[in-house]
């Protein structure tokens, strides 16, 4: 049992973002409601970009991480931060997994994922920190949730300690040589920022994702030290830039309905955040890591 306070975003802060309205998100995400960076067919940007679509690119991303975690055909898999259930559904419906357990802090996400009746899936509104599984998992996947595991304003040492606790739990829940597939935004290595850039990034942290923080890649790896080996690592900022551009395009095409399902202020905020994200992934103020970890002992 942990004696320190949870250092990540509170359930209230998570709900502030993800409980806006399921209908609102359905207007601009792909059909699987995957709300994280897709994996596009290469090359991603430029005149010679290969024809691709968001649905296919999201399924390719899920498969990349599911295969990387060696979850295919296994009995029990955990998805930490399961959103509206796209990983759970892909695990049990496409990859022959018997039981897929998903954790989220959002009631609306859980309600929608439950209503889909995904065979073999169990959706829990539960912080990973309070999760005490009766049995171990064969593999663990976590996509786009890590950014919420350390809140804004912590020191580097505090953030690393918070990440370390997450890796420690995953270590306990996996068998020897078990794998964790993690996808997370990371800070980019272009640290040259004008005032407008700093303002835009602060707007995203304060207004769109309160209490959350984008980790440095070194902090993620440091948090995993002596527990996990890094098997592979991809940095795909252009993939997130293109994903955000696609989301923004869909949101603008459905603007009237988006305002009806939320508010004018909310839609304007999302347009600003997606538009800023397109640029900041492109100019490397932000990065996108997909890391396959394996238990080191
Ligand atoms: C950006 S969404 C990603 C959802 C999904 N993985 C996807 O790719 O569409 C982040 C998810 O992390 C969940 N989350 C954040 N902090 C969490 C925590 N401490 N425990 C469990 N889930 C958490 C949120 O509720 C949400 O479902």
């Amino acid at each position: 049992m942990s004696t320190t306070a949870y250092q990540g975003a509170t359930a209230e802060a998570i709900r502030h973002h993800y409980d806006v309205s399921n209908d609102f998100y359905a207007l601009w995400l792909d059909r699987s409601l995957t709300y994280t960076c897709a994996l596009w067919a290469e090359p991603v940007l430029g005149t010679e970009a290969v024809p691709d679509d968001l649905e296919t690119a999201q399924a390719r991303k899920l498969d990349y991480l599911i295969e990387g975690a060696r979850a295919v055909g296994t009995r029990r898999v955990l998805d930490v931060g399961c959103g509206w259930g796209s990983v759970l559904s892909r695990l049990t419906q496409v990859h022959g997994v018997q039981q897929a357990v998903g954790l989220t802090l959002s009631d609306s996400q859980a309600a929608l994922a439950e209503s889909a009746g995904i065979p073999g899936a169990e959706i829990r509104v539960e912080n990973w920190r309070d999760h005490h599984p009766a049995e171990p998992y064969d593999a663990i996947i976590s996509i786009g949730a890590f950014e919420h595991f350390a809140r804004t304003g912590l020191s580097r040492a505090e953030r690393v300690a918070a990440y370390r606790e997450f890796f420690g739990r995953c270590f306990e829940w996996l068998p020897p040589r078990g794998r964790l597939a993690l996808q997370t935004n990371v800070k980019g290595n272009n640290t040259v920022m004008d005032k407008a850039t700093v303002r835009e990034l602060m707007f995203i942290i304060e207004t769109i994702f309160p209490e959350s923080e984008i980790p440095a890649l070194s902090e993620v790896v440091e948090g995993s030290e002596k527990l996990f080996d890094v098997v592979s690592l991809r940095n795909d900022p252009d993939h997130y830039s293109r994903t955000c551009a696609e989301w923004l395009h869909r949101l603008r095409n459905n603007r009237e309905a988006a305002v009806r399902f939320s508010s004018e202020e909310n839609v304007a905020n999302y347009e600003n955040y997606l538009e800023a994200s397109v640029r900041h992934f492109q100019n490397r103020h932000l990065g996108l890591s997909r890391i396959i970890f394996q238990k080191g002992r």
Side-chain angles (χ1 to χ4, degrees), residues 6 14 18 34-36 81 83 104-105 109 126-128 143-145:
Y6 180 59
I14 295 290
Y18 300 103
T34 301
Y35 185 25
T36 41
T104 175
L105 293 179
Q109 289 184 330
E126 185 174 67
N127 195 318
W128 55 262
I143 313 178

Side-chain angles (χ1 to χ4, degrees), residues 85 251 263:
L251 178 59
S263 66

Side-chain angles (χ1 to χ4, degrees), residues 71-184:
V72 177
T74 58
R75 202 174 73 75
R76 249 170 88 72
V77 177
L78 176 67
D79 179 15
V80 183
C82 66
W84 290 274
S86 63
V87 169
L88 305 178
S89 154
R90 196 114 190 127
L91 283 169
T92 61
Q93 320 252 58
V94 177
H95 292 292
V97 170
Q98 288 171 37
Q99 290 171 26
V101 177
L103 308 182
T104 175
L105 293 179
S106 154
D107 294 319
S108 334
Q109 289 184 330
L112 194 118
E114 284 284 1
S115 72
I118 307 162
E122 182 192 343
I123 295 114
R124 304 171 69 99
V125 178
E126 185 174 67
N127 195 318
W128 55 262
R129 215 180 180 236
D130 303 321
H131 187 54
H132 300 287
E135 294 174 75
Y137 291 102
D138 296 309
I140 301 177
I141 295 167
S142 184
I143 313 178
F146 199 87
E147 301 87 330
H148 299 301
F149 296 171
R151 72 186 63 164
T152 334
L154 298 181
S155 66
R156 179 186 164 103
E158 288 167 330
R159 274 197 301 278
V160 170
Y163 302 147
R164 194 161 183 73
E165 186 176 357
F166 170 72
F167 284 111
R169 294 300 176 90
C170 293
F171 184 92
E172 277 173 30
W173 297 332
L174 286 168
R177 300 286 184 258
R179 285 188 175 190
L180 158 68
L182 182 78
Q183 174 170 309
T184 179

